[in-house]
Amino acid sequence: MRSFWCCLLLLHLLSSIGRISAYLLPSSPSSSSSSLESLDIGRRSFVKQAFSPLATSTAFAFLFAPQPVHASPLPLGVPAPDFSLINSRGEFITLDALTSSKKWTILYFFPGAFTSGCTLEARKFQQDLPQYRELNAQIVGVSVDAVEKNSEFCKKEGLDFFMLTDERGEVSKKFGSALSIPGFGTFSNRQTYIIDPSKNVRWIFVDVESHIPRHSTEVLEKLKELQKV
C-alpha cells in the first residue's frame, strides 16, 4: 500500500514541476547564455528540492495523507452490512449468498490490485486456502478496482477465490474501511473482517499494513479461536 500512495504522490510532484518549470523558462529568444545557465541551475535546484525526503514527506502529509471516511470499524458482534456487488467472475454477490452455505467468510478490503502489498496479501491467502476450507471458511476480497482489473488480477495470480468491485466505495464506507485521498477519490483501506455463518462480525483486523506477510496466519489463528467459542 505504501508504494500505492507513493505513486500518487509522484504524479502530483511531476505535475507541479511541469507547471512551475514554465515560469523558469526564458520569456524571449534573446535571453543571454548566462541567463539560460542560471535558469538551468534554478530548475535543477528546484527538482532536487522537490524530490528531497523532507519535501516528499511534507507533501505527502499535507496533500496526500489518506483521510478516513469512517474512522471507526464496526463493533464486534453486530450483523455485517448487507451488500450486492459484482465479483471478478461477473456475478452479483450478496452477503446472504455468501453465508447461505453456512460458511465463515473472511472479507478483506485492499487498496488496489497489482500493487506490491495487495499482491503479497492475496498470495498468502491463496497459499493458505486449503486450511481455510478445512475450517469451513471462504476468502473474499473487496476493492474499488473495476471488475475487469480484479478479474485480470485473479487470473494472473492464479487465485481460487474472487474479488468484489466496490467501485464507488459505498460498501467500504459501511464497513468503516474507506480512505479518501484529495484529488483521487475513495479507496478501500486494508482491513479484514471475520464474519460467521449467521452474518455477524466476529473479528476485525485493523492494523494489517504493518504485517502483511504474516496476516493470513493471524487470521487462521483467530478463526480457530472463534470457532472454539
Side-chain angles (χ1 to χ4, degrees):
M1 185 175 176
R2 183 178 301 170
S3 59
F4 179 77
W5 305 134
C6 287
C7 287
L8 297 181
L9 174 62
L10 180 59
L11 287 173
H12 179 78
L13 288 174
L14 289 174
S15 175
S16 298
I17 290 171
R19 291 194 300 269
I20 298 177
S21 291
Y23 294 99
L24 296 176
L25 290 173
S27 56
S28 66
S30 61
S31 301
S32 65
S33 60
S34 59
S35 297
L36 290 173
E37 290 176 2
S38 298
L39 288 170
D40 186 53
I41 293 173
R43 284 195 296 269
R44 289 202 304 269
S45 176
F46 169 75
V47 172
K48 182 177 180 181
Q49 292 181 34
F51 283 93
S52 68
L54 178 60
T56 301
S57 60
T58 301
F60 182 86
F62 290 98
L63 297 176
F64 287 95
Q67 300 297 319
V69 177
H70 289 283
S72 300
L74 297 170
L76 297 182
V78 303
D82 199 7
F83 55 79
S84 178
L85 297 173
I86 303 179
N87 69 7
S88 48
R89 300 168 187 171
E91 306 163 327
F92 274 98
I93 300 295
T94 63
L95 181 61
D96 285 337
L98 288 176
T99 56
S100 63
S101 58
K102 300 302 179 182
K103 291 183 179 180
W104 291 68
T105 301
I106 310 302
L107 192 69
Y108 82 96
F109 293 80
F110 63 98
F114 294 105
T115 57
S116 58
C118 298
T119 299
L120 177 60
E121 186 177 24
R123 288 175 179 175
K124 290 295 182 179
F125 278 128
Q126 175 64 32
Q127 177 182 307
D128 295 336
L129 192 57
Q131 297 182 63
Y132 284 104
R133 287 174 173 169
E134 288 178 5
L135 295 170
N136 191 37
Q138 57 192 338
I139 305 293
V140 179
V142 183
S143 76
V144 299
D145 293 317
V147 174
E148 295 77 12
K149 186 174 182 180
N150 275 333
S151 179
E152 292 174 8
F153 182 55
C154 290
K155 290 177 182 177
K156 181 178 182 298
E157 294 302 325
L159 304 179
D160 293 321
F161 55 89
F162 54 72
M163 307 295 188
L164 300 177
T165 290
D166 181 24
E167 204 154 11
R168 296 181 179 179
E170 295 300 325
V171 174
S172 298
K173 293 175 185 177
K174 288 182 180 179
F175 276 81
S177 181
L179 290 175
S180 179
I181 304 177
F184 291 93
T186 300
F187 296 84
S188 299
N189 194 11
R190 198 184 304 283
Q191 295 180 351
T192 300
Y193 295 73
I194 297 181
I195 302 172
D196 67 20
S198 298
K199 300 191 294 186
N200 296 315
V201 176
R202 298 294 298 279
W203 197 260
I204 304 173
F205 292 87
V206 179
D207 183 22
V208 178
E209 190 66 42
S210 62
H211 43 107
I212 294 175
R214 66 178 186 273
H215 178 53
S216 179
T217 300
E218 294 173 340
V219 175
L220 279 169
E221 291 174 352
K222 179 55 67 174
L223 179 60
K224 293 175 183 177
E225 179 184 320
L226 292 171
Q227 290 182 345
K228 290 179 181 178
V229 177

